[in-house]
Amino acid sequence: MDLGYEETVLPQVQNAILSRHDMLFLGLRGQAKTRMLRQLTHLLDAAIPIVAGSEVNDDPLRPLSRYARDLIAEHGDDTPIDWITPVERYHEKLATPDVTIADLIGEIDMIKHAEGRYLSSELTMHFGLIPRSNRGIFCMNELPDLSAKDPGRHVQRPRRARHPDSRLSGAARARPVHGLQRQPGRLHQSWPNRDAAQGSHRSVIRTHYPLSRRRSASPSPTPMRGSSAPI
């Protein structure tokens, strides 16, 4: 179905990408929110190099993790690399009440600690979905179903680590506390308005059903036999 997004939603998506903002899609069911997020992979390069064995898609020229930095220091120009596709750079998570901060950010791997590594070592970390989406796209679906989490009670952190060259495109927020509650047919709007007041680097994109009967009655183009429609 033709929803008329080329005049309303798509310009907002384009502006968010050019502004390097995280994107929050607000809308009802059947308005192609997840479909649009999955289509963003078509904007990524066909393949990019990463340090072989890296859990966080380290750039060989700008390594992020301790593992990649040590490997490059040891092998130099002979450092092994792998190539990953746009599909491998896209990660999607369904928000459920049992999702923890450890699932999203990471936690200490007690098996690695038992092998003799220090708790303060970055090599002891087991990275969650968000760090593993470095240089890619991370999407969280059904965000209102994500319960409030206290990071101090759900993850053990050896130290705070951040790299200025880390790059991640986010398609949802992972902390919907105070103001984002599921109500019949709509979402509470105080949270997006609060983020805007705080100057957050986030674009709130509101989807919609067809704006006219003419658009809702026009069928979408049918793919030719033998061709595969995009996801």
Side-chain angles (χ1 to χ4, degrees):
M1 295 295 180
D2 184 5
L3 300 178
Y5 280 0
E6 67 277 3
E7 302 171 357
T8 55
V9 176
L10 294 185
Q12 299 181 60
V13 175
Q14 294 172 353
N15 291 336
I17 294 175
L18 294 176
S19 302
R20 303 183 67 178
H21 281 187
D22 295 333
M23 289 182 283
L24 172 62
F25 284 80
L26 291 181
L28 302 179
R29 294 182 179 179
Q31 294 181 351
K33 298 184 293 297
T34 302
R35 182 185 178 91
M36 285 189 292
L37 293 174
R38 292 174 179 173
Q39 292 282 2
L40 292 177
T41 57
H42 295 287
L43 302 177
L44 301 176
D45 293 335
I48 62 170
I50 65 171
V51 176
S54 171
E55 298 180 354
V56 294
N57 299 336
D58 282 288
D59 188 336
L61 300 180
R62 290 180 292 181
L64 171 64
S65 68
R66 172 69 179 275
Y67 164 82
R69 296 196 301 269
D70 291 347
L71 191 65
I72 293 176
E74 178 181 355
H75 296 282
D77 293 339
D78 296 327
T79 301
I81 63 172
D82 290 331
W83 295 82
I84 57 175
T85 63
V87 175
E88 296 173 289
R89 297 170 63 187
Y90 177 84
H91 294 86
E92 186 175 306
K93 179 68 175 177
L94 177 64
T96 56
D98 61 335
V99 174
T100 66
I101 296 297
D103 298 328
L104 301 177
I105 306 299
E107 63 180 344
I108 293 175
D109 190 331
M110 299 309 298
I111 296 179
K112 295 180 180 178
H113 176 55
E115 294 174 349
R117 299 178 184 178
Y118 291 102
L119 290 177
S120 60
S121 174
E122 183 182 329
L123 298 175
T124 314
M125 282 289 297
H126 171 75
F127 294 105
L129 282 176
I130 293 179
R132 291 175 184 271
S133 301
N134 182 44
R135 303 173 69 201
I137 300 173
F138 175 73
C139 167
M140 179 164 285
N141 275 323
E142 303 298 337
L143 196 57
D145 291 336
L146 187 67
S147 60
K149 301 296 182 184
D150 180 5
R153 292 187 297 176
H154 289 271
V155 61
Q156 296 173 312
R157 295 166 294 177
R159 66 186 183 90
R160 182 179 180 182
R162 178 171 175 82
H163 195 278
D165 292 332
S166 61
R167 290 169 289 174
L168 169 67
S169 297
R173 180 189 176 106
R175 190 165 55 91
V177 185
H178 306 306
L180 183 61
Q181 300 176 355
R182 184 179 293 279
Q183 298 181 4
R186 68 186 183 90
L187 295 177
H188 198 275
Q189 303 300 331
S190 64
W191 173 48
N193 294 338
R194 182 191 64 187
D195 280 349
Q198 293 178 352
S200 175
H201 297 293
R202 180 177 299 106
S203 293
V204 178
I205 301 172
R206 304 178 189 274
T207 58
H208 57 80
Y209 289 122
L211 300 178
S212 65
R213 292 185 178 181
R214 179 180 303 176
R215 287 191 178 278
S216 62
S218 59
S220 58
T222 303
M224 299 177 60
R225 179 175 298 179
S227 63
S228 59
I231 299 177

